[in-house]
DNA sequence: TCGAATGTACGACTACTCTCGTACAATCGA
DNA sequence: TCGATTGTACGAGAGTAGTCGTACATTCGA
């Protein structure tokens, strides 16, 4: 299994934003950003999802846009946020996006009487 | 003509990122960020595009995600970047995205043209 | 009042995205 | 070696996004 990753200078901002313009993939990078090694099943479990094949799709989107590294290790696939590359290319971007997810959670909690919040 | 805009606290990061995860809409906010009033035709012309109905679609995406204001003024529609709202909710986000588009342009120029690698 | 300018609404079409089930390949432990 | 674990590949189906042409509503200026 060999994964295609873009080089740092092949990463494009529209690809990154498009990849992160999805609640499920935002959750993924929040989890990866928390540190430590993660394999696919760990993230899947933490998100409370069940379909491996669906996640394979999301790994590809994140990987091909340059957001994550995906590395085979034995029978597991280790997932890592490409913080160094992303920070080098787009300083402050990932930080403000991660802060934004917290901001949203607060706004959601503060907004009274929204159903299914 | 009355446009539906989200309140500041209804804006969500995934919607913003998804809206800006498109080269054409990134170009739009670059243009709007440069200051001054813009109507639809001005932006259309500056982008070198021709289809008004296609742009109506993009205005809607940008407006409903909270990225731009769209205000009727006579027979024109004035477009404005919602910098104050976006900066208040996601400090540094728009700045780093706009900087990112410049970064990409540089990387593009530095990368010796196509298949040579 | 009439025609030009401005931009939305709508329908159609194509292409892509997301999701899932099934099948399969590789690896690890007993 | 055998079975369980891990995760990709593939195909299908539903839904969404992007594009365009045409039609239409509103406004401005002559």
């Amino acid at each position: 299994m060999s994964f295609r990753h873009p080089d740092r200078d092949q990463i494009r901002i529209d690809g990154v934003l498009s990849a992160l313009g999805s609640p499920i993939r935002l959750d993924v990078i929040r989890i990866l950003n928390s540190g430590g090694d993660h394999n696919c099943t760990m993230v899947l479990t933490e998100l409370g999802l069940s379909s491996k094949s669906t996640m394979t799709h999301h790994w590809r989107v994140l990987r091909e846009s340059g957001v994550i590294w995906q590395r085979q290790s034995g029978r597991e696939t280790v997932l890592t946020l490409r913080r160094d590359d992303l920070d080098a290319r787009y300083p402050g971007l990932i930080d403000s996006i991660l802060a934004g997810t917290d901001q949203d959670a607060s706004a959601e909690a503060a907004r009274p009487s929204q159903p299914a919040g």
Side-chain angles (χ1 to χ4, degrees), chain A residues 15-59:
Chain A
V16 172
L17 298 180
S18 174
L20 297 183
S22 137
I24 194 166
R25 292 195 293 260
L26 275 177
D27 280 344
V28 168
I29 68 152
R30 256 198 323 102
I31 290 172
L32 296 186
N33 186 63
S34 69
D37 272 358
H38 292 83
N39 65 24
C40 298
T41 302
M42 288 165 70
V43 178
L44 199 79
T45 305
E46 204 160 334
L47 291 176
L49 302 175
S50 55
S51 170
K52 291 184 298 178
S53 51
T54 296
M55 289 315 290
T56 294
H57 161 71
H58 290 300
W59 307 140

Side-chain angles (χ1 to χ4, degrees), chain A residues 37 47-48 59 62 64 71 79-80 87-88 113-114:
Chain A
D37 272 358
L47 291 176
W59 307 140
L62 289 167
E64 295 189 345
R71 178 173 49 80
L79 304 164
T80 320
D87 285 350
S113 75
Q114 288 297 316

Side-chain angles (χ1 to χ4, degrees), chain A residues 4-22:
Chain A
R4 198 185 67 79
H5 294 85
D7 299 337
R8 178 186 286 189
D9 68 349
Q10 286 178 308
I11 298 175
R12 290 295 174 270
I13 189 83
D14 61 293
V16 172
L17 298 180
S18 174
L20 297 183
S22 137

